[in-house]
């Protein structure tokens, strides 16, 4: 499948983001964003490099040891990037670099400098600004550069340098921008969702008793790679049986047993954007009566939540409806006893449903953006979020024996639209009959 037409955003997208950000800055100010650095795995081996999401959002540049500087003086703006210089010997060993000479055209910026010059150039470029926007504690190597540059400027006032007297955090500005997805971003998120859905379908087709959890994980990673998504967006959860009651179970090393469910929470990263899907299905392809009963409660809650997550609603409001469905279901199963509203007020559901209904999705699987107090922010067109109710009935719970050890979560990704919402992951089966038919046919 040729997805090259989707695998990169046009440079104009990044330039427009920078312009929108500059428009929000105070006049006579500067803003600096640092890239990620390579991280050592062990000895002389490194983890695969993954760019800092903020830096990528503004540049589309996928090299470490880089920085973006935006300047706004007297209503005029300038942009500069610091990056690794070309080095034929190192590039022979470790891969190509963009280089200083190519950067202005390739990244659509005004100036480019070697990262080795940042210590001398940054104090000069910041001089005259009354405010500096910088996110402290995000990239520690960048924090040190900023501190050194400000100190150098203060120590060389006689030479005409001065340090910006005010420091501001740019995260509130960028978090709000990233919360609302552009048309291009929606296309990438939809593709990430589609590839992730195909991987879940493959896992259902390949599941059977006495395979290991990691074997299903490998099937999913194969499907990710086959469609141009080289990496998972997060550590995949493949949890057989009671392992599904551990929310962030990632050992994935246990045998899948006949008669048990397996919960898979996994999504690919496609062109830097995340998919995030959870599906729960029987290892042997047939839901038991108890498994079916629990699953139906979660599915009913999830489908109702998707109906309600529309412009003008909030995650908090919708989760209240989800709680009513779940608590009613738990009463019908004999797991909870009492009146629905009182049980909700007492939070009697917490041992069985202890996480939120969903989260923002984008460049990060738990993407940035303010939720409001108690997640009561009004949903608006362009937001993308997950919808993931679950029930987790541990063997240690004092509940009827047939339900002990059952964990179910169903998760989809939705885009808030002017017409309501659009499910980006609908290709992943979740109806009981559909799952059983797929698994029987293999």
């Amino acid at each position: 499948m040729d997805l090259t037409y989707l695998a990169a955003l046009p440079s104009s997208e990044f330039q427009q983001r920078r312009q929108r950000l500059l428009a929000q800055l105070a006049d006579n100010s500067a803003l600096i964003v640092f890239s990620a650095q390579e991280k050592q795995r062990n000895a002389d081996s490194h983890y695969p490099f993954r760019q800092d999401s903020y830096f990528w959002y503004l540049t589309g540049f996928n090299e470490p040891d880089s920085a973006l500087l935006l300047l706004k003086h007297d209503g005029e703006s300038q942009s500069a990037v610091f990056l690794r210089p070309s080095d034929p010997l190192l590039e022979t060993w470790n891969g190509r670099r963009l280089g200083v000479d190519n950067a202005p055209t390739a990244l659509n910026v005004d100036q480019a400098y070697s990262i080795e010059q940042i210590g001398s150039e940054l104090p000069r470029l910041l001089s005259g600004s009354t405010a500096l926007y910088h996110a402290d504690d995000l990239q520690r190597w960048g924090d040190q550069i900023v501190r050194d540059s400000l100190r150098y400027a203060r120590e060389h006032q006689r030479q005409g340098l001065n340090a910006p007297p005010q420091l501001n955090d740019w995260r509130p500005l960028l978090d709000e921008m990233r919360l609302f997805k552009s048309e291009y971003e929606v296309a990438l998120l939809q593709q990430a969702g589609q590839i992730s859905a195909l991987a879940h379908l493959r896992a259902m087709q390949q599941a059977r008793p006495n395979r290991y959890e990691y074997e299903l994980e490998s099937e999913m990673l194969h499907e990710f790679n086959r469609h141009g998504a080289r990496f998972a967006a997060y550590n995949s959860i493949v949890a057989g049986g009671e392992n599904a009651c551990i929310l962030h179970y990632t050992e994935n090393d246990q045998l899948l047993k006949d008669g048990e469910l397996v919960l898979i929470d996994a999504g690919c990263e496609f062109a830097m954007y995340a998919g995030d899907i959870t599906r729960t299905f029987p290892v042997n392809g047939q839901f038991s009566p108890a498994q079916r009963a629990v699953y139906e409660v979660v599915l009913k809650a999830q489908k109702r939540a998707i109906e309600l997550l529309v412009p003008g609603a909030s995650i908090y409001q919708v989760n209240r409806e989800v709680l009513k469905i779940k608590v009613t279901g738990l009463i019908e199963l004999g797991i909870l006893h009492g009146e629905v509203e009182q049980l909700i007020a007492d939070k009697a559901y917490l041992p069985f449903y202890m996480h939120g209904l969903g989260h923002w999705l984008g460049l990060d699987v738990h993407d940035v953006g303010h939720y409001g107090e108690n997640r009561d922010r009004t949903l608006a067109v362009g937001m993308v979020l997950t919808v993931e109710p679950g029930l987790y009935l541990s063997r240690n719970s004092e509940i009827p024996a047939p339900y002990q050890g059952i964990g179910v979560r169903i998760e989809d990704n939705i885009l808030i639209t002017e017409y309501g919402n659009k499910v980006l992951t609908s290709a992943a089966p979740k109806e009981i009959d559909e799952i059983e038919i797929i698994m029987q046919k293999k």
Side-chain angles (χ1 to χ4, degrees):
M1 184 183 295
D2 183 9
L3 299 174
T4 54
Y5 73 100
L6 267 179
L9 295 174
S11 62
S12 59
E13 176 90 351
F14 302 103
Q15 185 180 33
Q16 289 168 10
R17 292 171 181 173
R18 296 194 295 268
Q19 290 171 344
R20 286 166 50 210
L21 179 58
L22 278 160
Q24 300 176 70
L25 303 186
D27 200 15
N28 297 320
S29 64
L31 178 146
I32 192 162
V33 183
F34 291 92
S35 75
Q37 290 188 303
E38 292 180 304
K39 291 181 172 59
Q40 186 172 318
R41 184 179 184 274
N42 63 298
D44 59 350
S45 297
H46 290 78
Y47 288 103
F49 177 71
R50 204 282 187 181
Q51 187 57 277
D52 175 83
S53 294
Y54 288 112
F55 185 80
W56 175 268
Y57 183 79
L58 292 175
T59 66
F61 184 45
N62 198 38
E63 290 189 22
D65 305 326
S66 306
L68 172 71
L69 178 67
L70 301 179
L71 300 169
K72 182 179 180 180
H73 287 174
D74 299 324
E76 299 292 326
S77 62
Q78 281 191 313
S79 57
V81 67
F82 293 86
L83 70 165
R84 301 177 304 176
S86 297
D87 188 319
L89 179 59
L90 287 177
E91 290 179 55
T92 298
W93 284 93
N94 299 322
R96 299 179 181 87
R97 297 180 176 184
L98 179 61
V100 174
D101 292 340
N102 297 324
T105 300
L107 301 179
N108 214 352
V109 295
D110 298 314
Q111 298 290 333
Y113 303 91
S114 168
I115 192 65
E116 298 165 357
Q117 298 175 277
I118 196 167
S120 60
E121 294 294 334
L122 189 58
R124 178 184 65 82
L125 292 167
L126 292 179
S127 189
S129 296
T130 57
L132 172 63
Y133 293 81
H134 167 64
D136 203 29
D137 288 331
L138 186 62
Q139 296 293 340
R140 297 295 179 89
W141 73 283
D143 295 345
Q144 188 62 52
I145 289 171
V146 168
R147 286 194 293 268
D148 290 346
S149 297
L150 295 178
R151 182 172 59 250
Y152 183 89
R154 294 186 189 106
E155 292 172 352
H156 290 80
Q157 291 184 19
R158 293 182 180 180
Q159 286 74 39
L161 296 179
N162 58 72
Q166 182 177 344
L167 289 177
N168 299 326
D169 191 338
W170 46 248
R171 275 172 287 204
L173 303 177
L174 276 173
D175 288 0
E176 189 69 11
M177 288 174 59
R178 283 177 54 184
L179 181 55
F180 294 90
K181 273 55 179 184
S182 71
E183 182 180 349
Y184 288 112
E185 290 181 289
V186 169
L188 295 179
L189 283 163
Q190 186 155 2
Q191 193 60 35
Q194 179 70 9
I195 295 170
S196 301
L198 292 174
H200 279 267
L201 178 59
R202 182 184 181 92
M204 291 177 187
Q205 293 169 329
Q206 297 296 324
R208 63 177 182 272
N210 298 321
R211 295 197 80 182
Y212 281 90
E213 293 165 340
Y214 58 73
E215 291 185 77
L216 290 192
E217 181 181 15
S218 70
E219 297 287 355
M220 301 196 71
L221 292 173
H222 170 82
E223 197 70 8
F224 293 167
N225 276 264
R226 195 166 76 88
H227 295 294
R230 283 196 58 208
F231 304 105
Y234 53 97
N235 293 329
S236 300
I237 297 168
V238 183
E242 196 182 12
N243 293 335
C245 296
I246 303 171
L247 297 185
H248 292 150
Y249 173 84
T250 56
E251 286 85 351
N252 299 353
D253 60 358
Q254 297 300 301
L255 203 65
L256 296 169
K257 299 176 183 177
D258 192 13
E260 293 188 335
L261 296 175
V262 57
L263 181 155
I264 300 181
D265 185 339
C268 76
E269 181 174 276
F270 180 77
M272 299 292 287
Y273 285 83
D276 185 7
I277 300 176
T278 306
R279 290 294 184 265
T280 309
F281 54 90
V283 173
N284 64 11
Q286 192 75 37
F287 286 87
S288 71
Q291 292 167 353
R292 178 182 286 263
V294 176
Y295 189 95
E296 285 176 341
V297 173
V298 177
L299 182 61
K300 181 180 180 181
Q302 204 240 11
K303 290 166 79 170
R304 181 60 175 154
I306 291 174
E307 288 178 6
L308 296 175
L309 288 165
V310 298
S314 71
I315 296 173
Y316 174 80
Q317 292 171 342
V318 176
N319 193 49
R320 298 297 296 177
E321 293 299 313
V322 164
L323 287 174
K324 291 178 184 177
I325 293 171
K326 286 188 176 184
V327 170
T328 299
L330 290 171
I331 292 171
E332 292 173 351
L333 296 176
I335 293 172
L336 289 179
H337 305 278
E339 297 296 324
V340 172
E341 293 297 337
Q342 188 60 51
L343 289 168
I344 291 174
D346 295 340
K347 298 185 178 180
Y349 57 84
L350 273 181
F352 314 115
Y353 175 47
M354 61 291 291
H355 60 76
L357 179 61
H359 53 79
W360 308 134
L361 185 69
L363 284 169
D364 297 320
V365 69
H366 293 108
D367 210 30
V368 296
H370 185 54
Y371 288 94
E373 292 187 21
N374 299 316
R375 301 204 167 205
D376 59 358
R377 177 171 183 163
T378 299
L379 298 177
V381 174
M383 295 176 173
V384 176
L385 65 152
T386 67
V387 190
E388 50 180 301
L391 285 175
Y392 312 94
L393 311 177
S394 169
R395 292 194 191 280
N396 297 323
S397 303
E398 295 182 1
I399 61 175
Y403 304 115
Q404 292 180 1
I406 294 176
V408 174
R409 184 163 65 252
I410 307 170
E411 178 182 19
D412 282 296
N413 310 154
I414 67 170
L415 165 70
I416 303 299
T417 72
E418 58 185 310
Y419 306 108
N421 66 56
K422 179 179 181 181
V423 181
L424 304 179
T425 49
S426 56
K430 63 183 178 183
E431 298 291 340
I432 288 177
D433 292 344
E434 188 179 10
I435 290 172
E436 289 185 341
I437 290 171
I438 288 168
M439 295 189 71
Q440 289 164 15
K441 291 184 177 180
K442 295 297 180 186

